[in-house]
Amino acid sequence: MAGTAVVVGAGVGGLATAIGLRRAGWAVSVLERRTGLERYGTAFGLHPTAQAALDRLGVGEALRGRAVPYRGARIRTPAGKVLASLPLERIERRAGRPELLISRPYLIDALLAELDAFGDVPVELGRNVVAVEALVAANDLVVGADGIGSTVRAACFGKRSGPRHVGTVAWIGIADFESGICGETWGKGRFFGMTPIEPGRTNWYTTVPGATTADELSGHFEGWHDPIPRILAETDPSTWIRYEMRHLFPALPAFVHGGRVALVGDAAHAMTPNLGQGACTAILDAGALARAVAEHGPAGLPSALRAYDAQRRRSAQRTAFASRHLHRFMTSEHTRLRNALVRMLPS
Ligand SMILES: Cc1cc2nc3c(=O)[nH]c(=O)nc-3n(C[C@H](O)[C@H](O)[C@H](O)COP(=O)(O)OP(=O)(O)OC[C@H]3O[C@@H](n4cnc5c(N)ncnc54)[C@H](O)[C@@H]3O)c2cc1C
């Protein structure tokens, strides 16, 4: 084996990184603090660049079987008037393949199955990493893929950068019928999004300032166009996922530390979900890190980490910045100005 690597965190970023490093010939282990891998979560958008990265990791085919293409999405007013199209068709024309939507549990399962197939990559559950120095002492490479509250990041960079609330609560869920239309509906200070996820089901997400219960939330969408009220009425509230929207602030000065530690995914650049890039950027990080490490070999690890940082940091931080600003724009109270600007988007 080329060297030893330990990956902290078995989310999308950690599992994808473990596959990439193992393919590069490294001995890899994964430590995950949960006692079972969470099979919850709704849909992830997979941009064509992330799909290409998954192809290189060897899981693209498995995912395509479970993913659905995302096309024909529009931005609407609460009355149902179309303001603009989401740029999905342009992305598809340029990339030669569509944006895909995949359920989070399928993506996690596909990555795990690929890791399992190596037969020698342990995923240790119930391992809450606290002593990062001990891991650095025992391994050539430590990868912090431990999400927005990253212990690895705090050990390397202190607590200056950390999770910051953006002041909005997001709710996500899956309704057991197909909505017939998809896209986002932008109202005053709130929005509602719906996408396909698999036959017979609709993935939805929404934010409303100040709504803390399912009942309160539903009340804010009375009178909105079909099928928004029906989606909320027909999703069992006990399955709704509620989370406080957060991002990492301030942005990190580096994604690598001391020539032996790299951060990927939310640990490096957690962002608001408005651009739907949380999983994509984690997958791109994983691919870039594995490629840099493979190209430079174990002896060139510090150079590999510098190359990874140079390739991914600005790009991921730009995406996080754009997502944060899109969040403000989508939840603006000044709907006339916002809608006028949205109408100017190319279709
Ligand atoms: C259960 C779950 C469900 C989600 N559902 C959605 C969704 O429906 N839609 C959406 O847009 N985003 C969702 N997200 C967020 C999304 O998965 C991430 O933004 C994105 O995929 C980046 O992944 P990541 O691997 O960097 O971080 P994460 O997915 O957050 O994974 C980090 C992993 O590290 C583990 N970990 C943290 N600290 C330690 C430690 N000290 N020691 C060991 N392990 C540790 C965590 O338990 C977690 O499994 C979800 C995240 C989780 C954890």
Side-chain angles (χ1 to χ4, degrees):
M1 289 284 180
T4 59
V6 63
V7 178
V8 183
V12 172
L15 294 174
T17 305
I19 294 170
L21 291 174
R22 179 62 187 79
R23 282 202 184 284
W26 283 59
V28 184
S29 56
V30 181
L31 307 179
E32 166 57 49
R33 74 172 167 199
R34 294 172 196 265
T35 48
L37 287 191
E38 289 284 357
R39 296 200 81 268
Y40 86 79
T42 56
F44 277 144
L46 290 179
H47 189 273
T49 51
Q51 294 171 41
L54 288 168
D55 284 340
R56 287 190 291 273
L57 292 174
V59 291
E61 209 46 55
L63 288 175
R64 269 185 289 280
R66 308 302 296 259
V68 291
Y70 192 21
R71 297 185 176 111
R74 306 281 181 262
I75 300 173
R76 295 178 171 83
T77 66
K81 191 170 173 210
V82 172
L83 293 172
S85 300
L86 292 183
L88 299 167
E89 280 70 24
R90 253 184 302 144
I91 291 173
E92 182 168 355
R93 271 197 305 277
R94 230 178 266 156
R97 53 165 120 180
E99 170 108 3
L100 295 177
L101 288 155
I102 181 113
S103 124
R104 185 178 188 277
Y106 289 151
L107 178 54
I108 294 281
D109 284 351
L111 294 170
L112 264 181
E114 187 66 21
L115 263 192
D116 272 356
F118 290 114
D120 58 4
V121 183
V123 178
E124 295 178 37
L125 300 176
R127 287 286 308 273
N128 183 24
V129 169
V130 280
V132 176
E133 317 73 53
L135 290 182
V136 175
N139 294 274
D140 298 312
L141 171 62
V142 175
V143 180
D146 47 346
I148 189 167
S150 174
T151 300
V152 178
R153 183 184 66 233
C156 298
F157 296 99
K159 297 258 164 126
R160 192 173 159 264
S161 291
R164 286 284 165 93
H165 290 274
V166 300
T168 320
V169 173
W171 297 79
I172 53 181
I174 297 179
D176 284 328
F177 69 93
E178 274 178 48
S179 79
I181 61 169
C182 59
E184 292 183 345
T185 301
W186 295 5
K188 195 172 177 181
R190 70 200 63 160
F191 65 86
F192 193 94
M194 49 203 153
T195 75
I197 180 166
E198 55 192 63
R201 307 183 90 198
T202 300
N203 169 62
W204 59 265
Y205 51 94
T206 183
T207 69
V208 176
T212 49
T213 66
D215 276 350
E216 275 174 15
L217 185 88
S218 298
H220 284 281
F221 293 99
E222 275 169 21
W224 283 41
H225 70 80
D226 282 339
I228 293 172
R230 183 180 163 210
I231 285 177
L232 291 172
E234 294 192 24
T235 310
D236 175 0
S238 69
T239 65
W240 298 17
I241 300 173
R242 175 191 189 278
Y243 65 94
E244 308 274 345
M245 273 209 205
R246 295 180 301 167
H247 67 140
L248 181 67
F249 185 85
L252 286 174
F255 284 1
V256 298
H257 183 76
R260 304 269 295 279
V261 180
L263 300 173
V264 301
D266 280 7
H269 49 67
M271 58 188 75
T272 63
N274 303 78
L275 275 175
Q277 290 288 320
C280 292
T281 45
I283 291 162
L284 292 176
D285 293 347
L289 178 60
R291 214 167 33 250
V293 164
E295 277 166 17
H296 289 81
L301 190 57
S303 314
L305 296 191
R306 277 195 298 276
Y308 163 67
D309 185 58
Q311 193 186 341
R312 288 299 305 148
R313 180 159 47 89
R314 289 233 168 97
S315 159
Q317 289 177 343
R318 264 197 308 266
T319 306
F321 183 79
S323 201
R324 173 83 185 91
H325 283 273
L326 179 61
H327 174 74
R328 282 210 190 114
F329 189 63
M330 289 167 81
T331 54
S332 168
E333 295 282 327
H334 306 289
T335 51
R336 283 181 68 174
L337 174 62
R338 186 196 60 201
N339 291 357
L341 292 169
V342 171
R343 278 196 204 92
M344 285 155 55
L345 291 173
S347 55

